Amino acid sequence: MASIAALSRARFSIKSYSVEHGYPSRRRSLVDDAKFETQKNREARLSWLQEQRQSSQDQELSEEEVLIVREASEEQNAQEPKDSNLILSLNDNSLSSLPRILKLIEAVKGSIQHIESRRSGNGLEKFDVFIALKISPSGLLHLMRSLRNANLAQCEVLKEKLISIKDPWFPRHVSELDFCTHIMTKYEPDLDSDHPGFTDKVYRARRKEIAQIAFDYRYGQKVPAVKYTPDEIKTWGIVYKKLVELYSSHACKEHVESFRLLERECGYSPDNIPQLEDVSNFLRRRTGFVFRPAAGLLTARDFLASLAFRVFQSTQYIRHGSNPHHSPEPDCIHELLGHAPILADPTFAQFSQEIGLASLGANDEEIEKFATLYWFTVEFGLCWQDGKIKAYGAGLLSSYGELQHSLSDKPERRPFEPDKAAIQPYQDIEYQDVYFVAKSFEKAKKQLSEFVHKKLKRRFDVSYDAHTSSVEVIDSMSKLQNMARDIESQLTKLNGAMHRLSMAKR
């Protein structure tokens, strides 16, 4: 059988393939990238599962059981009891089978340490039964086979080692973003014949020079400065002046207020392209977000994972001067004028991080949905403010023409609903025909949290620790209890503060 390390290498090669092949010539979007990755990863996953089933001489093995077989084969003693956490999904009709399931656990010499149940499903027509037990890998495999053959329950195993095998790798500490740098190279100017800079050798060489900064960058370093040329500053200035004319009437107030601060503190002006390090320091003081240099458009999974750590992967190069108001891929005009101001708002920063955290360990189909949600919110989102619709999406706030189009009477505007936005077909060749309008950032954040809670299928949750810049996987009752104690402590502080404020008003 192939080792776990070999499987990891295979997955890496899949990602490399998706970076290099198969993209149509159109404006870059995370959505297409995510769909392409899904297709390739699904093909590789099915091939791997078939190989493992043949090796096990059991074509009926579920994916979960295949992974248990893999773990058992690597254990020195497959008969030794170990801690395991199970979730059994039962409907109302099969709930009566729970005593039989408990007897099966006893038959395979499993020792139950803790058991509890809860209603699940949209109509609460199902039960999730959580069981913490000590059981050997071989005993667990026998249990799962028995549950499957008797059609008693759907069984999921919550186990750190299995999570690392079954679910996609994701960074646990901000320093591991050094590995989240896979670039979608098809739209580079030296590869894409439709790119405005394809025939410009000077521009292509300049792009490679600036991209090298990102390739060489590592966590903890300062972002090296780029000395921009007069032509690059000219292109920046053309876009800058046009957009500033519209911000007061078209942009949300959070963007307008932060933009003024950026002009004052980071040197934003038509004649100066701000340095990424300066903007990053500004954002760190405001919301804890930082900018990290990227060589180009990242894969959807890598980009979204970075948001979980409040890191925004930003390009430093400038679009080709022949078409200043349009770029087929992100450039620093898009990042600095579109994304940076709104990331300085605490509520929006939290909203962006929520999308990132939800993406960690998500399956490919879910990454597609999160990429689509990102497209219709962070890139092309609208919101209500003071009875008027304003733009907050960076794709709008860095595009003079589309900003005007989005607030005209031409496109369709719908209330923001994550369930619908996540599956909405998108327009990436011309201006959008559909935009989603949030009631407020706070409301959108709440809607997103509810969507993730109801729809996300991953077998664990994650918690971000701002003190250590790390993500903890919540995959056991003990970790959940630790998390509950932290929340309880925060609630105690909140209640104390409310009490003191109420006393002060008397």
Side-chain angles (χ1 to χ4, degrees), residues 188 202-217 223-229 232 273 275-276 293-296 314-319 331-332:
E188 295 296 302
V202 174
Y203 178 78
R204 286 163 55 175
R206 175 64 168 164
R207 279 284 294 268
K208 288 183 178 179
E209 175 189 344
I210 295 177
Q212 194 60 46
I213 293 174
F215 288 133
D216 294 339
Y217 181 83
V223 181
V226 175
K227 185 173 177 58
Y228 291 103
T229 67
E232 289 168 339
I273 302 174
Q275 294 296 329
L276 223 56
S314 173
T315 55
Q316 287 180 285
Y317 53 77
I318 294 286
R319 64 193 61 174
D331 70 333
C332 75

Side-chain angles (χ1 to χ4, degrees), residues 373-441:
L373 276 172
Y374 185 90
W375 179 267
F376 283 113
T377 55
V378 180
E379 290 292 353
F380 292 96
L382 300 172
C383 63
W384 284 100
Q385 284 189 343
D386 301 325
K388 297 180 180 179
I389 297 178
K390 301 287 185 175
Y392 70 86
L396 300 175
L397 295 167
S398 60
S399 171
Y400 180 81
E402 187 145 14
L403 181 55
Q404 290 181 305
H405 167 80
S406 68
L407 298 180
S408 70
D409 57 2
K410 296 178 182 178
E412 179 184 356
R413 289 187 286 270
R414 302 174 185 171
F416 175 65
E417 297 178 57
D419 294 73
K420 296 178 180 178
I423 59 173
Q424 172 65 32
Y426 71 100
Q427 169 61 252
D428 64 353
I429 299 175
E430 302 295 340
Y431 296 152
Q432 304 296 297
D433 3 64
V434 174
Y435 297 92
F436 287 91
V437 187
K439 290 184 177 179
S440 67
F441 292 157

Side-chain angles (χ1 to χ4, degrees), residues 69-83:
V69 171
R70 296 290 304 123
E71 186 192 37
S73 69
E74 295 183 353
E75 294 287 344
Q76 292 182 348
N77 186 355
Q79 305 301 321
E80 181 182 349
K82 298 182 180 299
D83 290 331

Side-chain angles (χ1 to χ4, degrees), residues 146-398:
S146 299
L147 292 173
R148 167 167 57 85
N149 293 335
N151 197 28
L152 291 175
Q154 180 182 346
C155 178
E156 288 190 60
V157 181
L158 301 179
K159 211 167 188 178
E160 183 74 16
K161 189 171 183 181
L162 289 181
I163 287 172
S164 68
I165 303 172
K166 180 173 181 179
D167 299 304
W169 176 89
F170 59 88
R172 306 297 178 89
H173 185 265
V174 66
S175 62
E176 294 178 18
L177 294 182
D178 285 349
F179 303 113
C180 294
T181 55
H182 299 92
I183 304 298
M184 313 309 295
T185 58
K186 172 60 180 170
Y187 284 80
E188 295 296 302
D190 56 345
L191 295 176
D192 180 12
S193 60
D194 288 341
H195 195 288
F198 181 71
T199 60
D200 189 336
K201 294 182 179 180
V202 174
Y203 178 78
R204 286 163 55 175
R206 175 64 168 164
R207 279 284 294 268
K208 288 183 178 179
E209 175 189 344
I210 295 177
Q212 194 60 46
I213 293 174
F215 288 133
D216 294 339
Y217 181 83
R218 295 294 180 271
Y219 167 73
Q221 298 175 347
K222 287 187 176 181
V223 181
V226 175
K227 185 173 177 58
Y228 291 103
T229 67
D231 285 342
E232 289 168 339
I233 295 173
K234 179 181 177 182
T235 300
W236 161 273
I238 291 171
V239 181
Y240 190 99
K241 292 174 184 176
K242 283 283 189 181
L243 287 170
V244 169
E245 291 176 3
L246 293 177
Y247 282 164
S248 60
S249 57
H250 288 61
C252 65
K253 61 184 180 183
E254 290 83 359
H255 184 278
V256 173
E257 292 169 1
S258 295
F259 191 81
R260 290 171 182 159
L261 290 174
L262 285 163
E263 286 182 314
R264 186 165 68 243
E265 297 186 27
C266 297
Y268 272 53
S269 77
D271 304 318
N272 180 63
I273 302 174
Q275 294 296 329
L276 223 56
E277 179 70 13
D278 294 335
V279 178
S280 184
N281 289 335
F282 168 83
L283 290 175
R284 184 185 285 108
R285 295 193 301 271
R286 302 281 297 181
T287 62
F289 253 92
V290 296
F291 271 12
R292 177 191 172 109
L297 185 77
L298 298 182
T299 61
R301 191 178 291 279
D302 280 358
F303 180 80
L304 294 174
S306 302
L307 296 178
F309 297 86
R310 297 210 171 200
V311 173
F312 188 91
Q313 301 257 14
S314 173
T315 55
Q316 287 180 285
Y317 53 77
I318 294 286
R319 64 193 61 174
H320 196 265
S322 63
N323 192 358
H325 292 296
H326 174 75
S327 176
E329 84 273 77
D331 70 333
C332 75
I333 291 178
H334 172 74
E335 326 280 34
L336 296 175
L337 298 183
H339 284 290
I342 198 66
L343 283 172
D345 175 72
T347 301
F348 185 80
Q350 181 65 31
F351 177 82
S352 299
Q353 186 179 29
E354 290 282 349
I355 295 179
L357 287 169
S359 77
L360 299 180
N363 64 38
D364 293 328
E365 291 79 7
E366 289 167 337
I367 290 293
E368 284 186 33
K369 290 183 178 181
F370 291 133
T372 307
L373 276 172
Y374 185 90
W375 179 267
F376 283 113
T377 55
V378 180
E379 290 292 353
F380 292 96
L382 300 172
C383 63
W384 284 100
Q385 284 189 343
D386 301 325
K388 297 180 180 179
I389 297 178
K390 301 287 185 175
Y392 70 86
L396 300 175
L397 295 167
S398 60

